[in-house]
Amino acid sequence: MSSVPHSFSARRFDQALVAQALDDALATGASTPVLAISGLQGSGKSTLAAQVVDLARTRGLRAAALSIDDTYLTRAQRQRLADRIHPLLATRGPPGTHDLPLALSTLDAARSGNAFAMPRFDKLADERVPEMQWNQIDGPLDLLVFEGWFLGTPAEDEDALLTPLNALERDADADGSWRRWCNQSLADDYPALWQRFDRLWFLQPPGFSVVPHWRWQQEQALQQASPGRTSMSRAQVERFVQFYERVSRQALRSLPGIADRVIALDAQRQPLLD
């Protein structure tokens, strides 16, 4: 899974909640259940995924976590999309910038009990880690936790794409061709991945307005973990999250009615009591 330090999250999730997530996945009866944890940038999904895996291992189970971020297209692949379709597709993140055959084959290998390698993506380098450095899973897993910022999110209606949401869409996608292409990719290509989930949990923030701050904290944590490497500035982060805003808002609208479990969070990423 992506190596975001645990210190990024305000606090780890309560162990009772972690146990509920693990038990919910195991209750599906699948030989290798896939527990999907969806949550906008900075919501703590990587932390929760790691905690579920840790708890599973204390019970003697073989478990692993994978992020959809680790299946991004390579920089060269995204540049080809940028040259052929729209310049904004050089930037990782939105639907259409993932290697879906890689994601599907990884989940299918995990579910089949075969040996496989876990893809990895280096966000500071903005490049996929060479395959020889991927983590090898040698035998069948009892659980795979799959986390990502928009897992399970459906496409928007075409009419919703007409009006730009932010400065990025207004200035760099004036004709709407980038957002239409991403939305069509979300409609056509991602449902096959969503269908691999046995359970879907959604970490629900109070609104999109908290995401730029959460993403800035994440960037600072990445930089602290690799102090000799260049990270984004605050202004760059503010622009970067605009690439994610449209699908993030669609996730906020739609996932509460789709997910098997919704965990509402406050602005400090603390789960709110039911």
Side-chain angles (χ1 to χ4, degrees):
M1 60 178 284
S2 298
S3 54
V4 178
H6 289 320
S7 59
F8 157 61
S9 285
R11 48 178 64 84
R12 288 164 66 84
F13 289 92
D14 183 82
Q15 200 65 9
L17 179 65
V18 177
Q20 289 173 20
L22 175 57
D23 292 340
D24 190 32
L26 297 177
T28 65
S31 57
T32 304
V34 175
L35 169 63
I37 300 176
S38 190
L40 305 191
Q41 291 178 301
S43 59
K45 57 193 176 295
S46 297
T47 298
L48 180 57
Q51 287 184 256
V52 172
V53 168
D54 288 345
L55 179 60
R57 290 173 177 169
T58 66
R59 296 187 186 179
L61 302 173
R62 286 176 52 86
L66 174 70
S67 173
I68 196 172
D69 293 355
D70 285 319
T71 67
Y72 282 131
L73 294 170
T74 66
R75 192 186 304 173
Q77 289 170 325
R78 283 177 280 126
Q79 188 56 54
R80 285 195 289 273
L81 285 179
D83 295 340
R84 183 166 56 91
I85 297 170
H86 195 286
L88 290 180
L89 289 170
T91 299
R92 69 177 191 262
T97 63
H98 299 88
D99 185 336
L100 286 176
L102 174 62
L104 289 166
S105 65
T106 302
L107 264 63
D108 286 346
R111 292 168 66 95
S112 70
N114 295 330
F116 66 100
M118 297 277 269
R120 290 174 53 209
F121 190 89
D122 184 335
K123 290 183 176 178
L124 288 180
D126 192 27
E127 188 59 276
R128 188 182 296 166
V129 172
E131 191 168 348
M132 66 183 66
Q133 298 176 29
W134 295 2
N135 295 327
Q136 295 292 322
I137 306 296
D138 295 326
L141 290 174
D142 298 303
L143 173 69
L144 180 68
V145 183
F146 188 50
E147 54 95 351
W149 69 275
F150 69 113
L151 299 186
T153 304
E156 288 185 274
D157 293 334
E158 284 287 321
D159 290 348
L161 307 175
L162 296 175
T163 303
L165 273 184
N166 53 39
L168 177 79
E169 291 190 356
R170 185 181 64 246
D171 300 338
D173 186 38
D175 65 356
S177 59
W178 169 71
R179 53 189 182 266
R180 283 196 301 274
W181 191 88
C182 292
N183 191 65
Q184 196 62 51
S185 179
L186 185 58
D188 294 343
D189 303 330
Y190 286 78
L193 188 60
W194 305 163
Q195 289 164 11
R196 263 67 171 184
F197 305 160
D198 295 293
R199 284 290 188 271
L200 175 62
W201 281 44
F202 178 45
L203 300 178
Q204 182 182 32
F208 183 79
S209 61
V210 301
V211 172
H213 177 61
W214 285 0
R215 184 59 183 82
W216 172 237
Q217 290 180 316
Q218 186 180 40
E219 192 68 18
Q220 290 176 303
L222 287 167
Q223 180 61 42
Q224 289 167 9
S226 302
R229 304 172 67 189
T230 301
S231 61
M232 286 188 281
S233 66
R234 182 65 187 260
Q236 288 172 321
V237 167
E238 293 281 347
R239 184 177 189 273
F240 185 59
V241 297
Q242 293 184 29
F243 282 83
Y244 295 76
E245 182 172 358
R246 177 171 291 278
V247 179
S248 294
R249 292 187 181 278
Q250 172 69 349
L252 286 170
R253 285 190 295 269
S254 60
L255 286 183
I258 294 173
D260 298 297
R261 177 77 184 273
V262 178
I263 307 298
L265 306 175
D266 65 18
Q268 286 72 45
R269 298 192 270 312
Q270 265 288 87
L272 300 171
L273 297 176
D274 294 334

